[in-house]
Amino acid sequence: MKIISSVDNFSCGICSGRGGIIQVDKNFNIKIKKYICCHTTAYGSGGKTNMKQNKKGNVAVITVIIVIVAITAGVIGWKFAKKSQAPIETKTVAQQPVVNSIDQNQATAQQEDGIVYKNEKYGFQLTLPKEWENYKASLVENKTYGNIINFQLLSKSSEYNTVMNIIVQDLVSYNKMIANCEGKIGEGTCYDYNSYLWGKTSKYAVYRIGNEDFPEDLMARYNQISEIEKSFKVIDSETAGWQTYRNEKYGFELKMPQDWEAKVETDNTNSFGTENVAFLTQDGNGDSFEIMWIVIIPVKNIDECFNTPDCFIGNEISKKNDFSFRISRGDVGGMVPDKYQEQKFKDIVAVVKTFKFIN
Amino acid sequence: MVIEIKKFGEVLVSRPAGREAFLAMSAYLTKGVSKDEIIEIDFSGVKVLTPSWADEVITKIAEEFKNVKLLNTENATVQATLKTLREYSDLKI
């Protein structure tokens, strides 16, 4: 994933108006520390075209703030100078997301090449650079989109700030969101989500849009995110969390992804006695399609079927009780957009490997 | 382990058909087989083999297993296909 954000994004629209830390030392000298706001979008910073205008605006705003703060500081200083010589500090705290719960599913381990962040619940791990040693990870639950895991680091001002947030969304709602955004990229919350994707586990999509807000001294840590992204690793097994399909009539079962459904079809169009179990999933537009079939045909009818042009029964995967169990793929013929082809095929391979007879 | 290619037909063409054959193999032939096991791919009985079908099967088996041997490759289309795969698809056997 390309990270477009840079220091220039300070003026990005989403963060305009955010304050900084304004410090007044004991000699009433005023210092303003900028906050960095970084928001990665598919269209760049979005602030570049208004950069000059924003800078002018910023200068005016800062001047007004300086005057107000100077007057305030003068009054406060006049009032309290005699009582104390301690410096007065005014802070504008950057808006932080509401943290509902500390992420209980994480585990960390220090390694030579970094710190391993392992999330058992969502089934993935990351390797964080050594400089992230004192990070805090917290989970923000969000039912509309995905849950957000905020990674916070300590800034020079001794506050924890979110330097990286990643979204974990169940695959069903992720796929729906992608489908809803088809042809609407850039509208509302429709981003090119696949370009932000770090990876998928058997149940979740893990991605990062990037909308972090932190002080400038953490910029070097922020710049390490692309390195962290490369370390993304799925730790759940290929079929963990999948549902089980059981066919009692023919006595077999297999595991399949949560967004698949099975449908038994009796083929009455020929006299070969075939029975198909069709497995349906969704394409990029949210439309259901048949991704594969398990074709069950009496062994005695196979040869006759092969000699008939319209009888297509795929390849045999096993035999039992005079029936041949065969596999036929449905993810061909342009039904699945190219970008999903490889993933769908990997799913099918994983599914057929779980095929087994009951008893 | 011996994989008899003729089980998937005598005329082996197209990528979809090749993928389907690979799927069937994944389910009953190569499931749970050690990566180090010797896999012998037997082409006897095959009349026509095309690079598209073979790229979905032979190349993938060769990627998955370390010790792959090819048997009975005398058929001209088999020879030509293997040559093509070695040249264009990085087949190392």
Side-chain angles (χ1 to χ4, degrees), chain A residues 292 312-318 327-332 341-342 345 348-349 352-356, chain B residues 7-9 15-32 35 56 60 64:
Chain A
M292 67 172 230
F312 185 71
I313 51 174
N315 289 300
E316 186 174 87
I317 55 176
S318 203
I327 182 79
S328 183
R329 290 173 57 227
D331 64 322
V332 291
Q341 283 278 5
E342 279 310 308
F345 184 63
I348 303 175
V349 172
V352 295
K353 281 182 180 173
T354 67
F355 178 94
K356 65 177 181 188
Chain B
K7 278 188 173 179
F8 302 96
R15 283 188 180 274
R19 282 196 156 200
E20 202 158 80
F22 180 73
L23 262 183
M25 284 180 202
S26 304
Y28 80 103
L29 275 177
T30 57
K31 184 165 92 172
K35 306 283 175 205
E56 294 292 341
K60 284 197 163 63
E64 203 171 326

mmCIF file of all heavy atoms in Angstrom, chain A residues 292 312-318 327-332 341-342 345 348-349 352-356, chain B residues 7-9 15-32 35 56 60 64:
data_model
loop_
_atom_site.group_PDB
_atom_site.id
_atom_site.type_symbol
_atom_site.label_atom_id
_atom_site.label_comp_id
_atom_site.label_asym_id
_atom_site.label_seq_id
_atom_site.Cartn_x
_atom_site.Cartn_y
_atom_site.Cartn_z
ATOM 1 N N MET A 292 -18.388 -23.313 -6.813
ATOM 2 C CA MET A 292 -17.996 -24.692 -7.135
ATOM 3 C C MET A 292 -19.160 -25.647 -6.897
ATOM 4 O O MET A 292 -20.148 -25.274 -6.255
ATOM 5 C CB MET A 292 -16.782 -25.133 -6.299
ATOM 6 C CG MET A 292 -17.048 -25.254 -4.817
ATOM 7 S SD MET A 292 -15.636 -25.994 -3.953
ATOM 8 C CE MET A 292 -16.453 -27.270 -3.026
ATOM 9 N N PHE A 312 -21.405 -32.670 -18.064
ATOM 10 C CA PHE A 312 -20.137 -32.202 -17.519
ATOM 11 C C PHE A 312 -20.099 -32.497 -16.027
ATOM 12 O O PHE A 312 -20.930 -32.018 -15.269
ATOM 13 C CB PHE A 312 -19.977 -30.696 -17.761
ATOM 14 C CG PHE A 312 -18.636 -30.192 -17.322
ATOM 15 C CD1 PHE A 312 -17.494 -30.540 -18.047
ATOM 16 C CD2 PHE A 312 -18.509 -29.418 -16.195
ATOM 17 C CE1 PHE A 312 -16.252 -30.109 -17.641
ATOM 18 C CE2 PHE A 312 -17.255 -28.977 -15.787
ATOM 19 C CZ PHE A 312 -16.124 -29.323 -16.518
ATOM 20 N N ILE A 313 -19.146 -33.305 -15.627
ATOM 21 C CA ILE A 313 -19.147 -33.738 -14.227
ATOM 22 C C ILE A 313 -17.830 -33.481 -13.501
ATOM 23 O O ILE A 313 -17.611 -33.957 -12.404
ATOM 24 C CB ILE A 313 -19.510 -35.247 -14.113
ATOM 25 C CG1 ILE A 313 -18.633 -36.070 -15.046
ATOM 26 C CG2 ILE A 313 -20.990 -35.468 -14.339
ATOM 27 C CD1 ILE A 313 -18.827 -37.567 -14.885
ATOM 28 N N GLY A 314 -16.947 -32.710 -14.093
ATOM 29 C CA GLY A 314 -15.708 -32.350 -13.404
ATOM 30 C C GLY A 314 -14.784 -33.531 -13.158
ATOM 31 O O GLY A 314 -14.854 -34.547 -13.848
ATOM 32 N N ASN A 315 -13.938 -33.387 -12.168
ATOM 33 C CA ASN A 315 -12.944 -34.425 -11.876
ATOM 34 C C ASN A 315 -13.236 -35.116 -10.559
ATOM 35 O O ASN A 315 -13.680 -34.483 -9.596
ATOM 36 C CB ASN A 315 -11.546 -33.789 -11.813
ATOM 37 C CG ASN A 315 -11.075 -33.357 -13.181
ATOM 38 O OD1 ASN A 315 -10.955 -34.156 -14.095
ATOM 39 N ND2 ASN A 315 -10.842 -32.057 -13.326
ATOM 40 N N GLU A 316 -12.914 -36.382 -10.539
ATOM 41 C CA GLU A 316 -13.223 -37.173 -9.345
ATOM 42 C C GLU A 316 -12.281 -36.861 -8.186
ATOM 43 O O GLU A 316 -11.069 -36.751 -8.368
ATOM 44 C CB GLU A 316 -13.127 -38.659 -9.684
ATOM 45 C CG GLU A 316 -13.565 -39.561 -8.552
ATOM 46 C CD GLU A 316 -13.591 -41.020 -8.971
ATOM 47 O OE1 GLU A 316 -12.535 -41.685 -8.875
ATOM 48 O OE2 GLU A 316 -14.650 -41.479 -9.437
ATOM 49 N N ILE A 317 -12.888 -36.716 -7.000
ATOM 50 C CA ILE A 317 -12.042 -36.562 -5.818
ATOM 51 C C ILE A 317 -12.115 -37.805 -4.918
ATOM 52 O O ILE A 317 -11.202 -38.057 -4.150
ATOM 53 C CB ILE A 317 -12.381 -35.291 -4.999
ATOM 54 C CG1 ILE A 317 -13.857 -35.226 -4.603
ATOM 55 C CG2 ILE A 317 -12.001 -34.047 -5.743
ATOM 56 C CD1 ILE A 317 -14.196 -34.039 -3.714
ATOM 57 N N SER A 318 -13.186 -38.577 -5.033
ATOM 58 C CA SER A 318 -13.275 -39.804 -4.243
ATOM 59 C C SER A 318 -14.450 -40.659 -4.716
ATOM 60 O O SER A 318 -15.307 -40.190 -5.467
ATOM 61 C CB SER A 318 -13.451 -39.440 -2.767
ATOM 62 O OG SER A 318 -13.023 -40.516 -1.975
ATOM 63 N N ILE A 327 -15.415 -32.824 -8.360
ATOM 64 C CA ILE A 327 -15.340 -31.375 -8.110
ATOM 65 C C ILE A 327 -15.420 -30.624 -9.429
ATOM 66 O O ILE A 327 -14.803 -31.009 -10.416
ATOM 67 C CB ILE A 327 -14.035 -31.019 -7.349
ATOM 68 C CG1 ILE A 327 -13.943 -29.527 -7.028
ATOM 69 C CG2 ILE A 327 -12.793 -31.439 -8.097
ATOM 70 C CD1 ILE A 327 -14.746 -29.136 -5.858
ATOM 71 N N SER A 328 -16.206 -29.588 -9.426
ATOM 72 C CA SER A 328 -16.321 -28.758 -10.620
ATOM 73 C C SER A 328 -16.258 -27.300 -10.186
ATOM 74 O O SER A 328 -16.874 -26.908 -9.207
ATOM 75 C CB SER A 328 -17.651 -29.061 -11.311
ATOM 76 O OG SER A 328 -17.755 -28.324 -12.489
ATOM 77 N N ARG A 329 -15.499 -26.514 -10.894
ATOM 78 C CA ARG A 329 -15.314 -25.103 -10.515
ATOM 79 C C ARG A 329 -16.357 -24.207 -11.166
ATOM 80 O O ARG A 329 -16.739 -24.387 -12.299
ATOM 81 C CB ARG A 329 -13.950 -24.598 -10.940
ATOM 82 C CG ARG A 329 -12.807 -25.185 -10.160
ATOM 83 C CD ARG A 329 -11.511 -24.745 -10.771
ATOM 84 N NE ARG A 329 -11.412 -23.310 -10.814
ATOM 85 C CZ ARG A 329 -11.029 -22.616 -11.884
ATOM 86 N NH1 ARG A 329 -10.745 -23.216 -12.997
ATOM 87 N NH2 ARG A 329 -10.939 -21.321 -11.825
ATOM 88 N N GLY A 330 -16.753 -23.190 -10.409
ATOM 89 C CA GLY A 330 -17.702 -22.233 -10.966
ATOM 90 C C GLY A 330 -17.101 -20.858 -11.165
ATOM 91 O O GLY A 330 -17.725 -19.985 -11.758
ATOM 92 N N ASP A 331 -15.879 -20.664 -10.661
ATOM 93 C CA ASP A 331 -15.316 -19.310 -10.711
ATOM 94 C C ASP A 331 -14.617 -19.040 -12.036
ATOM 95 O O ASP A 331 -13.541 -18.482 -12.098
ATOM 96 C CB ASP A 331 -14.335 -19.106 -9.545
ATOM 97 C CG ASP A 331 -13.141 -20.036 -9.642
ATOM 98 O OD1 ASP A 331 -13.333 -21.194 -10.045
ATOM 99 O OD2 ASP A 331 -12.024 -19.597 -9.323
ATOM 100 N N VAL A 332 -15.262 -19.454 -13.097
ATOM 101 C CA VAL A 332 -14.691 -19.218 -14.428
ATOM 102 C C VAL A 332 -15.745 -18.545 -15.301
ATOM 103 O O VAL A 332 -16.868 -18.346 -14.876
ATOM 104 C CB VAL A 332 -14.249 -20.541 -15.093
ATOM 105 C CG1 VAL A 332 -13.061 -21.123 -14.390
ATOM 106 C CG2 VAL A 332 -15.395 -21.541 -15.102
ATOM 107 N N GLN A 341 -10.159 -13.317 -8.561
ATOM 108 C CA GLN A 341 -9.965 -14.682 -9.059
ATOM 109 C C GLN A 341 -9.009 -15.495 -8.198
ATOM 110 O O GLN A 341 -9.324 -16.603 -7.788
ATOM 111 C CB GLN A 341 -9.429 -14.652 -10.497
ATOM 112 C CG GLN A 341 -10.465 -14.336 -11.537
ATOM 113 C CD GLN A 341 -11.291 -15.549 -11.935
ATOM 114 O OE1 GLN A 341 -11.159 -16.613 -11.383
ATOM 115 N NE2 GLN A 341 -12.170 -15.358 -12.891
ATOM 116 N N GLU A 342 -7.849 -14.916 -7.926
ATOM 117 C CA GLU A 342 -6.826 -15.671 -7.215
ATOM 118 C C GLU A 342 -7.287 -16.049 -5.818
ATOM 119 O O GLU A 342 -7.090 -17.170 -5.369
ATOM 120 C CB GLU A 342 -5.508 -14.883 -7.154
ATOM 121 C CG GLU A 342 -4.687 -14.986 -8.423
ATOM 122 C CD GLU A 342 -4.489 -16.430 -8.905
ATOM 123 O OE1 GLU A 342 -4.054 -17.272 -8.101
ATOM 124 O OE2 GLU A 342 -4.797 -16.709 -10.073
ATOM 125 N N PHE A 345 -9.883 -18.768 -5.944
ATOM 126 C CA PHE A 345 -9.298 -20.069 -6.249
ATOM 127 C C PHE A 345 -8.592 -20.644 -5.023
ATOM 128 O O PHE A 345 -8.680 -21.839 -4.738
ATOM 129 C CB PHE A 345 -8.335 -19.971 -7.436
ATOM 130 C CG PHE A 345 -7.781 -21.300 -7.842
ATOM 131 C CD1 PHE A 345 -8.627 -22.289 -8.314
ATOM 132 C CD2 PHE A 345 -6.433 -21.591 -7.723
ATOM 133 C CE1 PHE A 345 -8.133 -23.541 -8.671
ATOM 134 C CE2 PHE A 345 -5.936 -22.834 -8.073
ATOM 135 C CZ PHE A 345 -6.790 -23.808 -8.548
ATOM 136 N N ILE A 348 -11.153 -22.141 -2.842
ATOM 137 C CA ILE A 348 -11.660 -23.433 -3.327
ATOM 138 C C ILE A 348 -10.668 -24.549 -3.004
ATOM 139 O O ILE A 348 -11.051 -25.622 -2.543
ATOM 140 C CB ILE A 348 -11.933 -23.412 -4.848
ATOM 141 C CG1 ILE A 348 -12.898 -22.309 -5.221
ATOM 142 C CG2 ILE A 348 -12.508 -24.745 -5.298
ATOM 143 C CD1 ILE A 348 -13.096 -22.181 -6.727
ATOM 144 N N VAL A 349 -9.386 -24.267 -3.245
ATOM 145 C CA VAL A 349 -8.372 -25.287 -2.955
ATOM 146 C C VAL A 349 -8.423 -25.662 -1.476
ATOM 147 O O VAL A 349 -8.380 -26.839 -1.108
ATOM 148 C CB VAL A 349 -6.957 -24.789 -3.341
ATOM 149 C CG1 VAL A 349 -5.894 -25.761 -2.866
ATOM 150 C CG2 VAL A 349 -6.851 -24.609 -4.849
ATOM 151 N N VAL A 352 -11.665 -27.817 -0.763
ATOM 152 C CA VAL A 352 -11.672 -29.222 -1.209
ATOM 153 C C VAL A 352 -10.719 -30.075 -0.365
ATOM 154 O O VAL A 352 -10.933 -31.280 -0.209
ATOM 155 C CB VAL A 352 -11.352 -29.391 -2.716
ATOM 156 C CG1 VAL A 352 -12.421 -28.762 -3.567
ATOM 157 C CG2 VAL A 352 -9.993 -28.853 -3.059
ATOM 158 N N LYS A 353 -9.710 -29.444 0.200
ATOM 159 C CA LYS A 353 -8.788 -30.205 1.055
ATOM 160 C C LYS A 353 -9.474 -30.678 2.339
ATOM 161 O O LYS A 353 -8.985 -31.572 3.007
ATOM 162 C CB LYS A 353 -7.559 -29.361 1.401
ATOM 163 C CG LYS A 353 -6.541 -29.315 0.282
ATOM 164 C CD LYS A 353 -5.333 -28.506 0.700
ATOM 165 C CE LYS A 353 -4.306 -28.456 -0.420
ATOM 166 N NZ LYS A 353 -3.208 -27.554 -0.105
ATOM 167 N N THR A 354 -10.580 -30.021 2.700
ATOM 168 C CA THR A 354 -11.263 -30.412 3.944
ATOM 169 C C THR A 354 -12.353 -31.467 3.689
ATOM 170 O O THR A 354 -12.995 -31.915 4.620
ATOM 171 C CB THR A 354 -11.917 -29.193 4.629
ATOM 172 O OG1 THR A 354 -12.990 -28.714 3.796
ATOM 173 C CG2 THR A 354 -10.930 -28.079 4.895
ATOM 174 N N PHE A 355 -12.548 -31.818 2.431
ATOM 175 C CA PHE A 355 -13.582 -32.810 2.104
ATOM 176 C C PHE A 355 -13.270 -34.134 2.807
ATOM 177 O O PHE A 355 -12.154 -34.651 2.727
ATOM 178 C CB PHE A 355 -13.628 -33.027 0.581
ATOM 179 C CG PHE A 355 -14.622 -34.055 0.132
ATOM 180 C CD1 PHE A 355 -15.894 -33.698 -0.262
ATOM 181 C CD2 PHE A 355 -14.279 -35.409 0.110
ATOM 182 C CE1 PHE A 355 -16.810 -34.655 -0.684
ATOM 183 C CE2 PHE A 355 -15.187 -36.373 -0.299
ATOM 184 C CZ PHE A 355 -16.458 -35.999 -0.697
ATOM 185 N N LYS A 356 -14.255 -34.688 3.497
ATOM 186 C CA LYS A 356 -14.056 -36.029 4.081
ATOM 187 C C LYS A 356 -15.406 -36.717 4.279
ATOM 188 O O LYS A 356 -16.448 -36.056 4.403
ATOM 189 C CB LYS A 356 -13.295 -35.935 5.402
ATOM 190 C CG LYS A 356 -14.016 -35.218 6.509
ATOM 191 C CD LYS A 356 -13.182 -35.272 7.784
ATOM 192 C CE LYS A 356 -13.904 -34.565 8.910
ATOM 193 N NZ LYS A 356 -13.110 -34.411 10.104
ATOM 194 N N LYS B 7 -6.007 -39.741 -16.051
ATOM 195 C CA LYS B 7 -7.252 -39.767 -15.277
ATOM 196 C C LYS B 7 -8.072 -38.490 -15.495
ATOM 197 O O LYS B 7 -9.266 -38.444 -15.236
ATOM 198 C CB LYS B 7 -6.938 -39.873 -13.791
ATOM 199 C CG LYS B 7 -6.640 -41.269 -13.318
ATOM 200 C CD LYS B 7 -6.546 -41.285 -11.814
ATOM 201 C CE LYS B 7 -6.408 -42.708 -11.306
ATOM 202 N NZ LYS B 7 -6.291 -42.730 -9.843
ATOM 203 N N PHE B 8 -7.381 -37.453 -15.929
ATOM 204 C CA PHE B 8 -8.071 -36.166 -16.130
ATOM 205 C C PHE B 8 -8.461 -35.957 -17.589
ATOM 206 O O PHE B 8 -8.922 -34.883 -17.964
ATOM 207 C CB PHE B 8 -7.185 -35.011 -15.629
ATOM 208 C CG PHE B 8 -6.837 -35.173 -14.179
ATOM 209 C CD1 PHE B 8 -5.645 -35.756 -13.782
ATOM 210 C CD2 PHE B 8 -7.745 -34.795 -13.201
ATOM 211 C CE1 PHE B 8 -5.350 -35.951 -12.446
ATOM 212 C CE2 PHE B 8 -7.460 -34.993 -11.860
ATOM 213 C CZ PHE B 8 -6.261 -35.569 -11.476
ATOM 214 N N GLY B 9 -8.229 -36.980 -18.377
ATOM 215 C CA GLY B 9 -8.640 -36.912 -19.775
ATOM 216 C C GLY B 9 -7.479 -37.178 -20.718
ATOM 217 O O GLY B 9 -6.308 -37.156 -20.311
ATOM 218 N N ARG B 15 -7.081 -23.407 -19.337
ATOM 219 C CA ARG B 15 -6.717 -23.136 -17.938
ATOM 220 C C ARG B 15 -7.826 -23.545 -16.963
ATOM 221 O O ARG B 15 -7.537 -24.156 -15.941
ATOM 222 C CB ARG B 15 -6.379 -21.651 -17.750
ATOM 223 C CG ARG B 15 -5.030 -21.292 -18.261
ATOM 224 C CD ARG B 15 -4.585 -19.885 -17.920
ATOM 225 N NE ARG B 15 -3.259 -19.683 -18.470
ATOM 226 C CZ ARG B 15 -2.129 -20.022 -17.858
ATOM 227 N NH1 ARG B 15 -2.171 -20.561 -16.646
ATOM 228 N NH2 ARG B 15 -0.967 -19.828 -18.422
ATOM 229 N N PRO B 16 -9.091 -23.232 -17.257
ATOM 230 C CA PRO B 16 -10.134 -23.654 -16.313
ATOM 231 C C PRO B 16 -10.121 -25.158 -16.061
ATOM 232 O O PRO B 16 -10.224 -25.609 -14.924
ATOM 233 C CB PRO B 16 -11.438 -23.218 -16.992
ATOM 234 C CG PRO B 16 -11.031 -22.064 -17.847
ATOM 235 C CD PRO B 16 -9.653 -22.384 -18.326
ATOM 236 N N ALA B 17 -9.962 -25.926 -17.131
ATOM 237 C CA ALA B 17 -9.939 -27.385 -16.972
ATOM 238 C C ALA B 17 -8.704 -27.803 -16.167
ATOM 239 O O ALA B 17 -8.768 -28.709 -15.330
ATOM 240 C CB ALA B 17 -9.942 -28.055 -18.342
ATOM 241 N N GLY B 18 -7.586 -27.121 -16.414
ATOM 242 C CA GLY B 18 -6.356 -27.421 -15.670
ATOM 243 C C GLY B 18 -6.516 -27.118 -14.189
ATOM 244 O O GLY B 18 -6.113 -27.904 -13.328
ATOM 245 N N ARG B 19 -7.141 -26.013 -13.898
ATOM 246 C CA ARG B 19 -7.362 -25.638 -12.497
ATOM 247 C C ARG B 19 -8.255 -26.660 -11.801
ATOM 248 O O ARG B 19 -8.071 -26.983 -10.644
ATOM 249 C CB ARG B 19 -7.993 -24.250 -12.395
ATOM 250 C CG ARG B 19 -6.999 -23.141 -12.600
ATOM 251 C CD ARG B 19 -7.542 -21.822 -12.120
ATOM 252 N NE ARG B 19 -6.423 -20.925 -11.808
ATOM 253 C CZ ARG B 19 -6.516 -19.868 -11.040
ATOM 254 N NH1 ARG B 19 -7.655 -19.542 -10.500
ATOM 255 N NH2 ARG B 19 -5.477 -19.104 -10.796
ATOM 256 N N GLU B 20 -9.240 -27.114 -12.545
ATOM 257 C CA GLU B 20 -10.159 -28.082 -11.967
ATOM 258 C C GLU B 20 -9.440 -29.395 -11.668
ATOM 259 O O GLU B 20 -9.653 -30.010 -10.616
ATOM 260 C CB GLU B 20 -11.292 -28.328 -12.955
ATOM 261 C CG GLU B 20 -12.528 -28.864 -12.298
ATOM 262 C CD GLU B 20 -13.727 -28.591 -13.162
ATOM 263 O OE1 GLU B 20 -13.949 -29.332 -14.129
ATOM 264 O OE2 GLU B 20 -14.418 -27.602 -12.889
ATOM 265 N N ALA B 21 -8.570 -29.768 -12.569
ATOM 266 C CA ALA B 21 -7.786 -30.987 -12.348
ATOM 267 C C ALA B 21 -6.886 -30.805 -11.119
ATOM 268 O O ALA B 21 -6.756 -31.701 -10.288
ATOM 269 C CB ALA B 21 -6.949 -31.290 -13.585
ATOM 270 N N PHE B 22 -6.293 -29.630 -11.013
ATOM 271 C CA PHE B 22 -5.425 -29.356 -9.860
ATOM 272 C C PHE B 22 -6.216 -29.416 -8.552
ATOM 273 O O PHE B 22 -5.734 -29.908 -7.539
ATOM 274 C CB PHE B 22 -4.775 -27.978 -10.028
ATOM 275 C CG PHE B 22 -3.864 -27.610 -8.887
ATOM 276 C CD1 PHE B 22 -2.619 -28.231 -8.738
ATOM 277 C CD2 PHE B 22 -4.248 -26.673 -7.960
ATOM 278 C CE1 PHE B 22 -1.790 -27.910 -7.667
ATOM 279 C CE2 PHE B 22 -3.426 -26.343 -6.890
ATOM 280 C CZ PHE B 22 -2.187 -26.965 -6.751
ATOM 281 N N LEU B 23 -7.446 -28.919 -8.628
ATOM 282 C CA LEU B 23 -8.326 -28.960 -7.455
ATOM 283 C C LEU B 23 -8.587 -30.394 -7.010
ATOM 284 O O LEU B 23 -8.505 -30.715 -5.822
ATOM 285 C CB LEU B 23 -9.686 -28.365 -7.816
ATOM 286 C CG LEU B 23 -9.989 -26.940 -7.467
ATOM 287 C CD1 LEU B 23 -11.406 -26.642 -7.858
ATOM 288 C CD2 LEU B 23 -9.783 -26.695 -5.998
ATOM 289 N N ALA B 24 -8.932 -31.212 -7.976
ATOM 290 C CA ALA B 24 -9.218 -32.614 -7.661
ATOM 291 C C ALA B 24 -7.992 -33.278 -7.053
ATOM 292 O O ALA B 24 -8.086 -34.019 -6.081
ATOM 293 C CB ALA B 24 -9.668 -33.347 -8.912
ATOM 294 N N MET B 25 -6.831 -32.958 -7.606
ATOM 295 C CA MET B 25 -5.582 -33.521 -7.055
ATOM 296 C C MET B 25 -5.367 -33.056 -5.629
ATOM 297 O O MET B 25 -4.930 -33.819 -4.770
ATOM 298 C CB MET B 25 -4.390 -33.052 -7.897
ATOM 299 C CG MET B 25 -4.262 -33.744 -9.199
ATOM 300 S SD MET B 25 -2.832 -33.074 -10.066
ATOM 301 C CE MET B 25 -3.265 -33.505 -11.722
ATOM 302 N N SER B 26 -5.665 -31.775 -5.393
ATOM 303 C CA SER B 26 -5.479 -31.217 -4.044
ATOM 304 C C SER B 26 -6.349 -31.948 -3.048
ATOM 305 O O SER B 26 -5.986 -32.109 -1.887
ATOM 306 C CB SER B 26 -5.842 -29.730 -4.016
ATOM 307 O OG SER B 26 -5.108 -29.033 -4.969
ATOM 308 N N ALA B 27 -7.529 -32.385 -3.487
ATOM 309 C CA ALA B 27 -8.470 -33.013 -2.571
ATOM 310 C C ALA B 27 -8.127 -34.461 -2.268
ATOM 311 O O ALA B 27 -8.278 -34.907 -1.148
ATOM 312 C CB ALA B 27 -9.873 -32.941 -3.158
ATOM 313 N N TYR B 28 -7.691 -35.215 -3.252
ATOM 314 C CA TYR B 28 -7.515 -36.638 -2.961
ATOM 315 C C TYR B 28 -6.121 -37.176 -3.200
ATOM 316 O O TYR B 28 -5.776 -38.253 -2.732
ATOM 317 C CB TYR B 28 -8.542 -37.464 -3.738
ATOM 318 C CG TYR B 28 -8.214 -37.725 -5.184
ATOM 319 C CD1 TYR B 28 -7.728 -38.975 -5.575
ATOM 320 C CD2 TYR B 28 -8.401 -36.760 -6.151
ATOM 321 C CE1 TYR B 28 -7.435 -39.233 -6.896
ATOM 322 C CE2 TYR B 28 -8.111 -37.013 -7.470
ATOM 323 C CZ TYR B 28 -7.635 -38.252 -7.846
ATOM 324 O OH TYR B 28 -7.340 -38.497 -9.158
ATOM 325 N N LEU B 29 -5.305 -36.453 -3.974
ATOM 326 C CA LEU B 29 -3.980 -37.010 -4.244
ATOM 327 C C LEU B 29 -2.895 -36.398 -3.370
ATOM 328 O O LEU B 29 -2.179 -37.097 -2.663
ATOM 329 C CB LEU B 29 -3.628 -36.774 -5.719
ATOM 330 C CG LEU B 29 -4.132 -37.795 -6.715
ATOM 331 C CD1 LEU B 29 -3.767 -37.366 -8.124
ATOM 332 C CD2 LEU B 29 -3.536 -39.164 -6.425
ATOM 333 N N THR B 30 -2.817 -35.094 -3.385
ATOM 334 C CA THR B 30 -1.679 -34.444 -2.726
ATOM 335 C C THR B 30 -2.013 -33.951 -1.324
ATOM 336 O O THR B 30 -1.165 -33.369 -0.672
ATOM 337 C CB THR B 30 -1.174 -33.266 -3.586
ATOM 338 O OG1 THR B 30 -2.251 -32.355 -3.810
ATOM 339 C CG2 THR B 30 -0.658 -33.736 -4.927
ATOM 340 N N LYS B 31 -3.254 -34.170 -0.873
ATOM 341 C CA LYS B 31 -3.642 -33.712 0.467
ATOM 342 C C LYS B 31 -2.797 -34.415 1.539
ATOM 343 O O LYS B 31 -2.756 -35.642 1.602
ATOM 344 C CB LYS B 31 -5.132 -33.988 0.701
ATOM 345 C CG LYS B 31 -5.646 -33.465 2.027
ATOM 346 C CD LYS B 31 -7.156 -33.425 2.060
ATOM 347 C CE LYS B 31 -7.778 -34.666 2.599
ATOM 348 N NZ LYS B 31 -9.224 -34.565 2.795
ATOM 349 N N GLY B 32 -2.141 -33.621 2.354
ATOM 350 C CA GLY B 32 -1.370 -34.179 3.469
ATOM 351 C C GLY B 32 -0.061 -34.838 3.080
ATOM 352 O O GLY B 32 0.632 -35.406 3.926
ATOM 353 N N LYS B 35 6.110 -32.378 1.609
ATOM 354 C CA LYS B 35 6.728 -31.591 0.522
ATOM 355 C C LYS B 35 7.961 -32.297 -0.049
ATOM 356 O O LYS B 35 8.400 -32.007 -1.149
ATOM 357 C CB LYS B 35 7.153 -30.206 1.038
ATOM 358 C CG LYS B 35 6.044 -29.413 1.708
ATOM 359 C CD LYS B 35 5.110 -28.806 0.705
ATOM 360 C CE LYS B 35 3.944 -28.129 1.397
ATOM 361 N NZ LYS B 35 2.752 -28.039 0.578
ATOM 362 N N GLU B 56 -1.365 -24.836 -15.219
ATOM 363 C CA GLU B 56 -2.223 -24.844 -14.021
ATOM 364 C C GLU B 56 -2.012 -26.094 -13.171
ATOM 365 O O GLU B 56 -2.464 -26.142 -12.039
ATOM 366 C CB GLU B 56 -3.703 -24.744 -14.420
ATOM 367 C CG GLU B 56 -4.094 -23.431 -15.072
ATOM 368 C CD GLU B 56 -4.038 -22.251 -14.104
ATOM 369 O OE1 GLU B 56 -4.051 -22.476 -12.880
ATOM 370 O OE2 GLU B 56 -3.952 -21.108 -14.577
ATOM 371 N N LYS B 60 2.252 -25.891 -10.946
ATOM 372 C CA LYS B 60 1.835 -25.743 -9.539
ATOM 373 C C LYS B 60 2.325 -26.921 -8.681
ATOM 374 O O LYS B 60 2.724 -26.730 -7.538
ATOM 375 C CB LYS B 60 0.311 -25.604 -9.448
ATOM 376 C CG LYS B 60 -0.164 -24.221 -9.864
ATOM 377 C CD LYS B 60 -1.575 -23.966 -9.386
ATOM 378 C CE LYS B 60 -1.937 -22.501 -9.399
ATOM 379 N NZ LYS B 60 -1.932 -21.877 -10.714
ATOM 380 N N GLU B 64 4.930 -26.791 -5.483
ATOM 381 C CA GLU B 64 4.535 -27.283 -4.155
ATOM 382 C C GLU B 64 5.457 -28.384 -3.632
ATOM 383 O O GLU B 64 5.669 -28.489 -2.422
ATOM 384 C CB GLU B 64 3.088 -27.799 -4.241
ATOM 385 C CG GLU B 64 2.369 -27.807 -2.917
ATOM 386 C CD GLU B 64 0.881 -28.118 -3.089
ATOM 387 O OE1 GLU B 64 0.296 -27.721 -4.116
ATOM 388 O OE2 GLU B 64 0.313 -28.762 -2.189
#
